[in-house]
Amino acid sequence: MEKINLLELRATVFRLMMCRNIEDSCELLDIYSNFLLSSIDYHDKLDFSSQEEADAAMISQMIFTKILHLKSAVSGITYSNNTGVKLNRIIDPTVVVSLVRNIFETVGLFNLMFRATDNRDFRYIIYLLWVLSGLKYRQRFEQQAIMEENLNKIAQEKQDIDNIIDEIRNSKIYLEQGDSEKSVIEQAIKEKKYLLHFNGDKIEILHWQRLTETMEIKEGLFDNFYSYFSLYAHPTNVSVFQYADMFKREEMTFLDLTNFNTSVPLKLGRY
């Protein structure tokens, strides 16, 4: 076996920790993709004992494909119309940041639901609330349903909703809570929320930007980054007027901004 050069290894690790250019960011994306595909191959050989475990594996597959789409977006685009007008190759940082925000949310959800607490009963309540939220949102399509198959599905999912709520309210975790903590869970049920954090004896509903608090990341390191992601994920006035400055020929700002948008979530694994 070839002996590892520790100095070279340290230099490579440091380079990938910093991700100072798009090439380094793409190399790290490849490392994550390779690991995730290996885990997916491993999962394919397993017989899951619960839907919860199967969904955890499916979320890891979603993270894998999202990372591949991010790498594709970072490769850039070019275009020519039928009159010969040509767009030189560019990367749109606002598209990149939308993908990055989605990856941040998916990874954060996976961590909260399957890693953030050692108490399996707590994790299962979060999982049930996640399932419940999706089913309740799907009920919005009831008025548009015409086909008998869809009507039957809606009726079945209404029953599933009732069953899940009963399961939550009859769970040991719920019954052991005081009135104030039960009210938080009831609020989550009513408002279709599922980002619950069990912190000692206290239960609270988190917002997406607070998910890093559950991920063993150095405190304050990613404060306000979700707000930054959201700023560019929507056509805000700021995103529009800054877009005009991204593609000045003499500055090529879009390259630096693209690498910044890509490398920020990659650094989540450093702490």
Side-chain angles (χ1 to χ4, degrees), residues 50-56 59 109 113-114 123-139 156-165 167-168 188-189 191-196:
S50 67
Q51 187 60 44
E52 184 182 2
E53 291 181 352
D55 286 346
I59 292 174
L109 172 65
M113 197 153 50
F114 302 111
R123 293 203 305 266
Y124 190 56
I125 291 294
I126 297 172
Y127 174 77
L128 289 176
L129 288 170
W130 176 63
V131 176
L132 179 66
S133 175
L135 292 175
K136 291 182 76 172
Y137 273 114
R138 278 167 61 96
Q139 289 295 307
Q156 177 59 56
E157 289 185 351
K158 279 185 177 180
Q159 184 60 55
D160 292 339
I161 288 171
D162 291 339
N163 292 341
I164 291 172
I165 293 174
E167 185 172 2
I168 292 172
I189 292 173
E191 298 179 4
K192 300 181 283 292
K193 297 184 182 297
Y194 48 85
L195 301 182
L196 254 63

mmCIF file of all heavy atoms in Angstrom, residues 50-56 59 109 113-114 123-139 156-165 167-168 188-189 191-196:
data_model
loop_
_atom_site.group_PDB
_atom_site.id
_atom_site.type_symbol
_atom_site.label_atom_id
_atom_site.label_comp_id
_atom_site.label_asym_id
_atom_site.label_seq_id
_atom_site.Cartn_x
_atom_site.Cartn_y
_atom_site.Cartn_z
ATOM 1 N N SER A 50 -39.364 -0.149 8.893
ATOM 2 C CA SER A 50 -40.426 0.844 9.069
ATOM 3 C C SER A 50 -40.408 1.827 7.906
ATOM 4 O O SER A 50 -39.397 1.973 7.208
ATOM 5 C CB SER A 50 -40.233 1.613 10.385
ATOM 6 O OG SER A 50 -39.070 2.420 10.325
ATOM 7 N N GLN A 51 -41.530 2.508 7.707
ATOM 8 C CA GLN A 51 -41.609 3.547 6.693
ATOM 9 C C GLN A 51 -40.684 4.711 7.047
ATOM 10 O O GLN A 51 -40.141 5.380 6.165
ATOM 11 C CB GLN A 51 -43.051 4.052 6.558
ATOM 12 C CG GLN A 51 -43.269 5.020 5.398
ATOM 13 C CD GLN A 51 -42.943 4.413 4.054
ATOM 14 O OE1 GLN A 51 -43.318 3.283 3.769
ATOM 15 N NE2 GLN A 51 -42.219 5.145 3.217
ATOM 16 N N GLU A 52 -40.502 4.927 8.340
ATOM 17 C CA GLU A 52 -39.597 5.981 8.799
ATOM 18 C C GLU A 52 -38.185 5.757 8.270
ATOM 19 O O GLU A 52 -37.528 6.693 7.769
ATOM 20 C CB GLU A 52 -39.600 6.011 10.327
ATOM 21 C CG GLU A 52 -38.774 7.118 10.933
ATOM 22 C CD GLU A 52 -38.793 7.042 12.459
ATOM 23 O OE1 GLU A 52 -39.408 6.105 13.013
ATOM 24 O OE2 GLU A 52 -38.168 7.918 13.078
ATOM 25 N N GLU A 53 -37.680 4.531 8.375
ATOM 26 C CA GLU A 53 -36.347 4.220 7.871
ATOM 27 C C GLU A 53 -36.281 4.341 6.356
ATOM 28 O O GLU A 53 -35.301 4.848 5.804
ATOM 29 C CB GLU A 53 -35.949 2.804 8.288
ATOM 30 C CG GLU A 53 -35.712 2.635 9.780
ATOM 31 C CD GLU A 53 -35.306 1.223 10.142
ATOM 32 O OE1 GLU A 53 -35.367 0.345 9.247
ATOM 33 O OE2 GLU A 53 -34.930 0.977 11.299
ATOM 34 N N ALA A 54 -37.321 3.883 5.675
ATOM 35 C CA ALA A 54 -37.349 3.973 4.215
ATOM 36 C C ALA A 54 -37.343 5.433 3.758
ATOM 37 O O ALA A 54 -36.673 5.793 2.781
ATOM 38 C CB ALA A 54 -38.583 3.255 3.670
ATOM 39 N N ASP A 55 -38.069 6.294 4.470
ATOM 40 C CA ASP A 55 -38.097 7.712 4.115
ATOM 41 C C ASP A 55 -36.751 8.374 4.370
ATOM 42 O O ASP A 55 -36.334 9.263 3.614
ATOM 43 C CB ASP A 55 -39.193 8.426 4.904
ATOM 44 C CG ASP A 55 -40.587 8.108 4.399
ATOM 45 O OD1 ASP A 55 -40.695 7.559 3.279
ATOM 46 O OD2 ASP A 55 -41.570 8.400 5.112
ATOM 47 N N ALA A 56 -36.059 7.954 5.421
ATOM 48 C CA ALA A 56 -34.723 8.494 5.696
ATOM 49 C C ALA A 56 -33.781 8.182 4.541
ATOM 50 O O ALA A 56 -33.006 9.051 4.091
ATOM 51 C CB ALA A 56 -34.180 7.919 7.004
ATOM 52 N N ILE A 59 -34.674 10.385 1.536
ATOM 53 C CA ILE A 59 -34.196 11.760 1.668
ATOM 54 C C ILE A 59 -32.717 11.838 1.303
ATOM 55 O O ILE A 59 -32.273 12.802 0.664
ATOM 56 C CB ILE A 59 -34.439 12.296 3.095
ATOM 57 C CG1 ILE A 59 -35.939 12.449 3.351
ATOM 58 C CG2 ILE A 59 -33.751 13.647 3.296
ATOM 59 C CD1 ILE A 59 -36.289 12.843 4.777
ATOM 60 N N LEU A 109 -33.422 19.243 7.672
ATOM 61 C CA LEU A 109 -34.561 18.416 8.056
ATOM 62 C C LEU A 109 -34.113 17.002 8.411
ATOM 63 O O LEU A 109 -34.546 16.432 9.418
ATOM 64 C CB LEU A 109 -35.588 18.366 6.918
ATOM 65 C CG LEU A 109 -36.737 17.367 7.115
ATOM 66 C CD1 LEU A 109 -37.605 17.777 8.299
ATOM 67 C CD2 LEU A 109 -37.570 17.243 5.847
ATOM 68 N N MET A 113 -34.695 15.369 12.080
ATOM 69 C CA MET A 113 -35.638 14.262 12.209
ATOM 70 C C MET A 113 -34.958 12.942 12.574
ATOM 71 O O MET A 113 -35.567 12.084 13.221
ATOM 72 C CB MET A 113 -36.416 14.107 10.893
ATOM 73 C CG MET A 113 -37.682 13.290 11.001
ATOM 74 S SD MET A 113 -38.919 13.740 9.760
ATOM 75 C CE MET A 113 -37.991 13.700 8.243
ATOM 76 N N PHE A 114 -33.696 12.769 12.182
ATOM 77 C CA PHE A 114 -33.069 11.459 12.368
ATOM 78 C C PHE A 114 -31.775 11.487 13.180
ATOM 79 O O PHE A 114 -31.247 10.431 13.512
ATOM 80 C CB PHE A 114 -32.789 10.814 11.007
ATOM 81 C CG PHE A 114 -34.012 10.638 10.161
ATOM 82 C CD1 PHE A 114 -34.198 11.388 9.008
ATOM 83 C CD2 PHE A 114 -34.998 9.737 10.529
ATOM 84 C CE1 PHE A 114 -35.325 11.226 8.226
ATOM 85 C CE2 PHE A 114 -36.134 9.566 9.748
ATOM 86 C CZ PHE A 114 -36.309 10.314 8.598
ATOM 87 N N ARG A 123 -37.873 11.682 18.170
ATOM 88 C CA ARG A 123 -37.669 11.697 16.719
ATOM 89 C C ARG A 123 -38.933 11.259 15.992
ATOM 90 O O ARG A 123 -39.280 11.807 14.938
ATOM 91 C CB ARG A 123 -36.505 10.774 16.335
ATOM 92 C CG ARG A 123 -35.145 11.234 16.819
ATOM 93 C CD ARG A 123 -34.028 10.623 15.962
ATOM 94 N NE ARG A 123 -34.103 9.174 15.903
ATOM 95 C CZ ARG A 123 -33.436 8.361 16.710
ATOM 96 N NH1 ARG A 123 -32.659 8.864 17.662
ATOM 97 N NH2 ARG A 123 -33.526 7.060 16.576
ATOM 98 N N TYR A 124 -39.618 10.282 16.559
ATOM 99 C CA TYR A 124 -40.812 9.760 15.891
ATOM 100 C C TYR A 124 -41.942 10.801 15.887
ATOM 101 O O TYR A 124 -42.698 10.887 14.909
ATOM 102 C CB TYR A 124 -41.284 8.475 16.575
ATOM 103 C CG TYR A 124 -42.368 7.751 15.807
ATOM 104 C CD1 TYR A 124 -42.171 7.376 14.482
ATOM 105 C CD2 TYR A 124 -43.589 7.448 16.408
ATOM 106 C CE1 TYR A 124 -43.166 6.720 13.770
ATOM 107 C CE2 TYR A 124 -44.589 6.784 15.717
ATOM 108 C CZ TYR A 124 -44.371 6.430 14.389
ATOM 109 O OH TYR A 124 -45.357 5.790 13.689
ATOM 110 N N ILE A 125 -42.052 11.606 16.945
ATOM 111 C CA ILE A 125 -43.051 12.672 16.956
ATOM 112 C C ILE A 125 -42.777 13.673 15.833
ATOM 113 O O ILE A 125 -43.686 14.113 15.120
ATOM 114 C CB ILE A 125 -43.061 13.397 18.320
ATOM 115 C CG1 ILE A 125 -43.609 12.481 19.416
ATOM 116 C CG2 ILE A 125 -43.883 14.690 18.248
ATOM 117 C CD1 ILE A 125 -45.069 12.111 19.256
ATOM 118 N N ILE A 126 -41.501 14.041 15.661
ATOM 119 C CA ILE A 126 -41.138 14.961 14.570
ATOM 120 C C ILE A 126 -41.488 14.332 13.230
ATOM 121 O O ILE A 126 -42.031 14.994 12.335
ATOM 122 C CB ILE A 126 -39.641 15.305 14.644
ATOM 123 C CG1 ILE A 126 -39.324 16.052 15.939
ATOM 124 C CG2 ILE A 126 -39.221 16.159 13.440
ATOM 125 C CD1 ILE A 126 -37.851 16.257 16.184
ATOM 126 N N TYR A 127 -41.181 13.049 13.087
ATOM 127 C CA TYR A 127 -41.494 12.351 11.840
ATOM 128 C C TYR A 127 -42.993 12.358 11.567
ATOM 129 O O TYR A 127 -43.435 12.646 10.442
ATOM 130 C CB TYR A 127 -40.971 10.918 11.903
ATOM 131 C CG TYR A 127 -41.376 10.065 10.714
ATOM 132 C CD1 TYR A 127 -40.740 10.205 9.491
ATOM 133 C CD2 TYR A 127 -42.428 9.149 10.816
ATOM 134 C CE1 TYR A 127 -41.115 9.446 8.397
ATOM 135 C CE2 TYR A 127 -42.803 8.377 9.730
ATOM 136 C CZ TYR A 127 -42.153 8.529 8.525
ATOM 137 O OH TYR A 127 -42.541 7.790 7.439
ATOM 138 N N LEU A 128 -43.794 12.051 12.587
ATOM 139 C CA LEU A 128 -45.249 12.045 12.408
ATOM 140 C C LEU A 128 -45.775 13.430 12.029
ATOM 141 O O LEU A 128 -46.667 13.554 11.175
ATOM 142 C CB LEU A 128 -45.937 11.557 13.688
ATOM 143 C CG LEU A 128 -45.799 10.073 14.022
ATOM 144 C CD1 LEU A 128 -46.462 9.772 15.369
ATOM 145 C CD2 LEU A 128 -46.421 9.202 12.932
ATOM 146 N N LEU A 129 -45.235 14.472 12.651
ATOM 147 C CA LEU A 129 -45.660 15.834 12.315
ATOM 148 C C LEU A 129 -45.290 16.191 10.877
ATOM 149 O O LEU A 129 -46.034 16.897 10.192
ATOM 150 C CB LEU A 129 -45.026 16.833 13.286
ATOM 151 C CG LEU A 129 -45.590 16.827 14.710
ATOM 152 C CD1 LEU A 129 -44.715 17.675 15.630
ATOM 153 C CD2 LEU A 129 -47.032 17.345 14.730
ATOM 154 N N TRP A 130 -44.147 15.689 10.427
ATOM 155 C CA TRP A 130 -43.718 15.906 9.037
ATOM 156 C C TRP A 130 -44.685 15.231 8.059
ATOM 157 O O TRP A 130 -45.119 15.834 7.073
ATOM 158 C CB TRP A 130 -42.299 15.356 8.882
ATOM 159 C CG TRP A 130 -41.728 15.405 7.505
ATOM 160 C CD1 TRP A 130 -41.473 16.515 6.751
ATOM 161 C CD2 TRP A 130 -41.319 14.281 6.709
ATOM 162 N NE1 TRP A 130 -40.922 16.161 5.547
ATOM 163 C CE2 TRP A 130 -40.813 14.796 5.499
ATOM 164 C CE3 TRP A 130 -41.304 12.905 6.922
ATOM 165 C CZ2 TRP A 130 -40.310 13.969 4.492
ATOM 166 C CZ3 TRP A 130 -40.797 12.089 5.926
ATOM 167 C CH2 TRP A 130 -40.316 12.617 4.725
ATOM 168 N N VAL A 131 -45.035 13.999 8.339
ATOM 169 C CA VAL A 131 -46.003 13.283 7.499
ATOM 170 C C VAL A 131 -47.351 13.992 7.534
ATOM 171 O O VAL A 131 -47.998 14.207 6.497
ATOM 172 C CB VAL A 131 -46.152 11.819 7.966
ATOM 173 C CG1 VAL A 131 -47.243 11.117 7.154
ATOM 174 C CG2 VAL A 131 -44.826 11.074 7.836
ATOM 175 N N LEU A 132 -47.781 14.380 8.728
ATOM 176 C CA LEU A 132 -49.068 15.055 8.907
ATOM 177 C C LEU A 132 -49.120 16.353 8.108
ATOM 178 O O LEU A 132 -50.131 16.652 7.456
ATOM 179 C CB LEU A 132 -49.290 15.347 10.390
ATOM 180 C CG LEU A 132 -50.581 16.074 10.765
ATOM 181 C CD1 LEU A 132 -51.795 15.195 10.464
ATOM 182 C CD2 LEU A 132 -50.560 16.457 12.246
ATOM 183 N N SER A 133 -48.042 17.126 8.144
ATOM 184 C CA SER A 133 -48.003 18.395 7.419
ATOM 185 C C SER A 133 -48.230 18.182 5.928
ATOM 186 O O SER A 133 -49.025 18.881 5.303
ATOM 187 C CB SER A 133 -46.650 19.077 7.654
ATOM 188 O OG SER A 133 -46.536 20.251 6.872
ATOM 189 N N GLY A 134 -47.524 17.205 5.353
ATOM 190 C CA GLY A 134 -47.682 16.944 3.928
ATOM 191 C C GLY A 134 -49.097 16.526 3.567
ATOM 192 O O GLY A 134 -49.664 16.993 2.567
ATOM 193 N N LEU A 135 -49.692 15.662 4.389
ATOM 194 C CA LEU A 135 -51.059 15.205 4.114
ATOM 195 C C LEU A 135 -52.068 16.345 4.223
ATOM 196 O O LEU A 135 -52.998 16.458 3.407
ATOM 197 C CB LEU A 135 -51.435 14.073 5.074
ATOM 198 C CG LEU A 135 -50.689 12.743 4.887
ATOM 199 C CD1 LEU A 135 -51.087 11.761 5.981
ATOM 200 C CD2 LEU A 135 -50.973 12.155 3.510
ATOM 201 N N LYS A 136 -51.883 17.209 5.230
ATOM 202 C CA LYS A 136 -52.826 18.322 5.405
ATOM 203 C C LYS A 136 -52.714 19.328 4.276
ATOM 204 O O LYS A 136 -53.723 19.883 3.832
ATOM 205 C CB LYS A 136 -52.584 18.992 6.761
ATOM 206 C CG LYS A 136 -52.981 18.114 7.944
ATOM 207 C CD LYS A 136 -52.781 18.810 9.278
ATOM 208 C CE LYS A 136 -53.870 19.828 9.545
ATOM 209 N NZ LYS A 136 -53.793 20.372 10.924
ATOM 210 N N TYR A 137 -51.504 19.569 3.790
ATOM 211 C CA TYR A 137 -51.350 20.474 2.649
ATOM 212 C C TYR A 137 -51.989 19.894 1.395
ATOM 213 O O TYR A 137 -52.565 20.625 0.573
ATOM 214 C CB TYR A 137 -49.872 20.765 2.390
ATOM 215 C CG TYR A 137 -49.333 21.933 3.195
ATOM 216 C CD1 TYR A 137 -48.361 21.742 4.168
ATOM 217 C CD2 TYR A 137 -49.803 23.230 2.972
ATOM 218 C CE1 TYR A 137 -47.873 22.815 4.909
ATOM 219 C CE2 TYR A 137 -49.319 24.301 3.708
ATOM 220 C CZ TYR A 137 -48.358 24.096 4.671
ATOM 221 O OH TYR A 137 -47.877 25.158 5.403
ATOM 222 N N ARG A 138 -51.918 18.570 1.235
ATOM 223 C CA ARG A 138 -52.520 17.938 0.060
ATOM 224 C C ARG A 138 -54.040 18.068 0.064
ATOM 225 O O ARG A 138 -54.676 18.017 -1.004
ATOM 226 C CB ARG A 138 -52.123 16.457 -0.006
ATOM 227 C CG ARG A 138 -50.750 16.239 -0.615
ATOM 228 C CD ARG A 138 -50.279 14.818 -0.370
ATOM 229 N NE ARG A 138 -51.132 13.821 -0.958
ATOM 230 C CZ ARG A 138 -50.925 13.246 -2.149
ATOM 231 N NH1 ARG A 138 -49.870 13.595 -2.863
ATOM 232 N NH2 ARG A 138 -51.726 12.320 -2.606
ATOM 233 N N GLN A 139 -54.647 18.257 1.231
ATOM 234 C CA GLN A 139 -56.101 18.395 1.301
ATOM 235 C C GLN A 139 -56.585 19.670 0.606
ATOM 236 O O GLN A 139 -57.768 19.811 0.305
ATOM 237 C CB GLN A 139 -56.553 18.391 2.760
ATOM 238 C CG GLN A 139 -56.436 17.038 3.452
ATOM 239 C CD GLN A 139 -57.360 15.986 2.857
ATOM 240 O OE1 GLN A 139 -58.567 16.207 2.732
ATOM 241 N NE2 GLN A 139 -56.804 14.840 2.491
ATOM 242 N N GLN A 156 -59.140 8.763 2.010
ATOM 243 C CA GLN A 156 -58.227 7.911 2.764
ATOM 244 C C GLN A 156 -57.214 8.748 3.530
ATOM 245 O O GLN A 156 -56.902 8.462 4.693
ATOM 246 C CB GLN A 156 -57.499 6.948 1.819
ATOM 247 C CG GLN A 156 -56.468 6.050 2.514
ATOM 248 C CD GLN A 156 -57.085 5.201 3.598
ATOM 249 O OE1 GLN A 156 -58.031 4.444 3.346
ATOM 250 N NE2 GLN A 156 -56.574 5.299 4.828
ATOM 251 N N GLU A 157 -56.730 9.824 2.898
ATOM 252 C CA GLU A 157 -55.730 10.661 3.565
ATOM 253 C C GLU A 157 -56.355 11.463 4.703
ATOM 254 O O GLU A 157 -55.663 11.769 5.684
ATOM 255 C CB GLU A 157 -55.056 11.578 2.542
ATOM 256 C CG GLU A 157 -54.135 10.795 1.600
ATOM 257 C CD GLU A 157 -53.351 11.679 0.655
ATOM 258 O OE1 GLU A 157 -53.626 12.899 0.601
ATOM 259 O OE2 GLU A 157 -52.457 11.150 -0.037
ATOM 260 N N LYS A 158 -57.624 11.801 4.603
ATOM 261 C CA LYS A 158 -58.311 12.429 5.731
ATOM 262 C C LYS A 158 -58.314 11.491 6.935
ATOM 263 O O LYS A 158 -58.091 11.916 8.077
ATOM 264 C CB LYS A 158 -59.754 12.787 5.351
ATOM 265 C CG LYS A 158 -59.904 14.070 4.566
ATOM 266 C CD LYS A 158 -61.371 14.388 4.360
ATOM 267 C CE LYS A 158 -61.544 15.726 3.641
ATOM 268 N NZ LYS A 158 -62.981 16.053 3.439
ATOM 269 N N GLN A 159 -58.573 10.209 6.672
ATOM 270 C CA GLN A 159 -58.551 9.232 7.750
ATOM 271 C C GLN A 159 -57.144 9.074 8.308
ATOM 272 O O GLN A 159 -56.937 8.955 9.520
ATOM 273 C CB GLN A 159 -59.084 7.880 7.249
ATOM 274 C CG GLN A 159 -59.195 6.819 8.330
ATOM 275 C CD GLN A 159 -60.137 7.228 9.448
ATOM 276 O OE1 GLN A 159 -61.290 7.566 9.213
ATOM 277 N NE2 GLN A 159 -59.642 7.221 10.692
ATOM 278 N N ASP A 160 -56.147 9.085 7.403
ATOM 279 C CA ASP A 160 -54.743 8.996 7.836
ATOM 280 C C ASP A 160 -54.388 10.174 8.741
ATOM 281 O O ASP A 160 -53.668 10.005 9.743
ATOM 282 C CB ASP A 160 -53.810 8.976 6.626
ATOM 283 C CG ASP A 160 -53.942 7.709 5.798
ATOM 284 O OD1 ASP A 160 -54.437 6.696 6.332
ATOM 285 O OD2 ASP A 160 -53.548 7.730 4.611
ATOM 286 N N ILE A 161 -54.878 11.359 8.401
ATOM 287 C CA ILE A 161 -54.628 12.554 9.216
ATOM 288 C C ILE A 161 -55.170 12.359 10.628
ATOM 289 O O ILE A 161 -54.483 12.617 11.620
ATOM 290 C CB ILE A 161 -55.241 13.796 8.551
ATOM 291 C CG1 ILE A 161 -54.427 14.196 7.308
ATOM 292 C CG2 ILE A 161 -55.326 14.974 9.530
ATOM 293 C CD1 ILE A 161 -55.067 15.276 6.466
ATOM 294 N N ASP A 162 -56.406 11.899 10.709
ATOM 295 C CA ASP A 162 -57.018 11.663 12.030
ATOM 296 C C ASP A 162 -56.236 10.611 12.823
ATOM 297 O O ASP A 162 -56.028 10.765 14.039
ATOM 298 C CB ASP A 162 -58.473 11.211 11.861
ATOM 299 C CG ASP A 162 -59.373 12.322 11.330
ATOM 300 O OD1 ASP A 162 -58.998 13.509 11.471
ATOM 301 O OD2 ASP A 162 -60.444 12.004 10.774
ATOM 302 N N ASN A 163 -55.799 9.564 12.125
ATOM 303 C CA ASN A 163 -55.060 8.488 12.799
ATOM 304 C C ASN A 163 -53.716 8.998 13.339
ATOM 305 O O ASN A 163 -53.308 8.642 14.453
ATOM 306 C CB ASN A 163 -54.824 7.319 11.849
ATOM 307 C CG ASN A 163 -56.109 6.601 11.478
ATOM 308 O OD1 ASN A 163 -57.126 6.728 12.162
ATOM 309 N ND2 ASN A 163 -56.085 5.852 10.393
ATOM 310 N N ILE A 164 -53.033 9.840 12.547
ATOM 311 C CA ILE A 164 -51.731 10.362 12.974
ATOM 312 C C ILE A 164 -51.895 11.290 14.174
ATOM 313 O O ILE A 164 -51.120 11.228 15.137
ATOM 314 C CB ILE A 164 -51.034 11.098 11.809
ATOM 315 C CG1 ILE A 164 -50.622 10.091 10.727
ATOM 316 C CG2 ILE A 164 -49.808 11.863 12.312
ATOM 317 C CD1 ILE A 164 -50.097 10.733 9.459
ATOM 318 N N ILE A 165 -52.925 12.139 14.134
ATOM 319 C CA ILE A 165 -53.163 13.045 15.262
ATOM 320 C C ILE A 165 -53.454 12.243 16.533
ATOM 321 O O ILE A 165 -52.940 12.554 17.615
ATOM 322 C CB ILE A 165 -54.312 14.013 14.938
ATOM 323 C CG1 ILE A 165 -53.895 14.974 13.821
ATOM 324 C CG2 ILE A 165 -54.716 14.802 16.187
ATOM 325 C CD1 ILE A 165 -55.007 15.883 13.337
ATOM 326 N N GLU A 167 -52.414 9.219 17.128
ATOM 327 C CA GLU A 167 -51.166 8.558 17.533
ATOM 328 C C GLU A 167 -50.262 9.531 18.286
ATOM 329 O O GLU A 167 -49.638 9.153 19.288
ATOM 330 C CB GLU A 167 -50.439 8.004 16.304
ATOM 331 C CG GLU A 167 -49.202 7.192 16.667
ATOM 332 C CD GLU A 167 -48.585 6.481 15.473
ATOM 333 O OE1 GLU A 167 -49.105 6.643 14.345
ATOM 334 O OE2 GLU A 167 -47.573 5.781 15.655
ATOM 335 N N ILE A 168 -50.198 10.767 17.825
ATOM 336 C CA ILE A 168 -49.378 11.768 18.518
ATOM 337 C C ILE A 168 -49.929 12.030 19.918
ATOM 338 O O ILE A 168 -49.185 12.024 20.910
ATOM 339 C CB ILE A 168 -49.328 13.083 17.705
ATOM 340 C CG1 ILE A 168 -48.547 12.879 16.403
ATOM 341 C CG2 ILE A 168 -48.688 14.204 18.534
ATOM 342 C CD1 ILE A 168 -48.601 14.057 15.455
ATOM 343 N N ALA A 188 -48.194 22.955 16.467
ATOM 344 C CA ALA A 188 -47.554 22.337 15.308
ATOM 345 C C ALA A 188 -48.562 21.547 14.486
ATOM 346 O O ALA A 188 -48.558 21.598 13.248
ATOM 347 C CB ALA A 188 -46.403 21.437 15.753
ATOM 348 N N ILE A 189 -49.451 20.816 15.158
ATOM 349 C CA ILE A 189 -50.493 20.059 14.453
ATOM 350 C C ILE A 189 -51.401 20.998 13.676
ATOM 351 O O ILE A 189 -51.685 20.782 12.491
ATOM 352 C CB ILE A 189 -51.322 19.228 15.455
ATOM 353 C CG1 ILE A 189 -50.468 18.107 16.060
ATOM 354 C CG2 ILE A 189 -52.561 18.645 14.782
ATOM 355 C CD1 ILE A 189 -51.151 17.350 17.189
ATOM 356 N N GLU A 191 -50.923 24.173 12.687
ATOM 357 C CA GLU A 191 -50.289 25.031 11.682
ATOM 358 C C GLU A 191 -49.436 24.254 10.685
ATOM 359 O O GLU A 191 -48.691 24.844 9.903
ATOM 360 C CB GLU A 191 -49.441 26.087 12.390
ATOM 361 C CG GLU A 191 -50.266 27.012 13.283
ATOM 362 C CD GLU A 191 -49.410 28.047 14.001
ATOM 363 O OE1 GLU A 191 -48.191 28.097 13.750
ATOM 364 O OE2 GLU A 191 -49.984 28.814 14.810
ATOM 365 N N LYS A 192 -49.542 22.936 10.714
ATOM 366 C CA LYS A 192 -48.823 22.079 9.759
ATOM 367 C C LYS A 192 -47.312 22.262 9.870
ATOM 368 O O LYS A 192 -46.596 22.282 8.876
ATOM 369 C CB LYS A 192 -49.313 22.331 8.328
ATOM 370 C CG LYS A 192 -50.796 22.054 8.119
ATOM 371 C CD LYS A 192 -51.236 22.300 6.698
ATOM 372 C CE LYS A 192 -51.399 23.776 6.388
ATOM 373 N NZ LYS A 192 -52.516 24.401 7.102
ATOM 374 N N LYS A 193 -46.799 22.404 11.079
ATOM 375 C CA LYS A 193 -45.372 22.583 11.307
ATOM 376 C C LYS A 193 -44.764 21.290 11.839
ATOM 377 O O LYS A 193 -45.457 20.471 12.443
ATOM 378 C CB LYS A 193 -45.131 23.735 12.288
ATOM 379 C CG LYS A 193 -45.616 25.088 11.771
ATOM 380 C CD LYS A 193 -45.273 26.202 12.729
ATOM 381 C CE LYS A 193 -45.806 27.550 12.237
ATOM 382 N NZ LYS A 193 -45.189 27.946 10.957
ATOM 383 N N TYR A 194 -43.479 21.135 11.624
ATOM 384 C CA TYR A 194 -42.825 19.908 12.079
ATOM 385 C C TYR A 194 -41.384 20.122 12.526
ATOM 386 O O TYR A 194 -40.721 19.177 12.961
ATOM 387 C CB TYR A 194 -42.836 18.843 10.966
ATOM 388 C CG TYR A 194 -42.388 19.344 9.614
ATOM 389 C CD1 TYR A 194 -41.044 19.390 9.271
ATOM 390 C CD2 TYR A 194 -43.319 19.786 8.684
ATOM 391 C CE1 TYR A 194 -40.632 19.852 8.038
ATOM 392 C CE2 TYR A 194 -42.924 20.254 7.442
ATOM 393 C CZ TYR A 194 -41.580 20.287 7.124
ATOM 394 O OH TYR A 194 -41.176 20.752 5.898
ATOM 395 N N LEU A 195 -40.889 21.343 12.459
ATOM 396 C CA LEU A 195 -39.519 21.606 12.901
ATOM 397 C C LEU A 195 -39.500 21.798 14.412
ATOM 398 O O LEU A 195 -39.231 22.883 14.934
ATOM 399 C CB LEU A 195 -38.950 22.843 12.190
ATOM 400 C CG LEU A 195 -38.893 22.779 10.662
ATOM 401 C CD1 LEU A 195 -38.265 24.043 10.102
ATOM 402 C CD2 LEU A 195 -38.116 21.549 10.184
ATOM 403 N N LEU A 196 -39.792 20.736 15.131
ATOM 404 C CA LEU A 196 -39.817 20.783 16.589
ATOM 405 C C LEU A 196 -38.442 20.425 17.153
ATOM 406 O O LEU A 196 -37.773 19.523 16.646
ATOM 407 C CB LEU A 196 -40.854 19.805 17.152
ATOM 408 C CG LEU A 196 -42.136 20.455 17.707
ATOM 409 C CD1 LEU A 196 -42.869 21.161 16.592
ATOM 410 C CD2 LEU A 196 -43.003 19.426 18.377
#
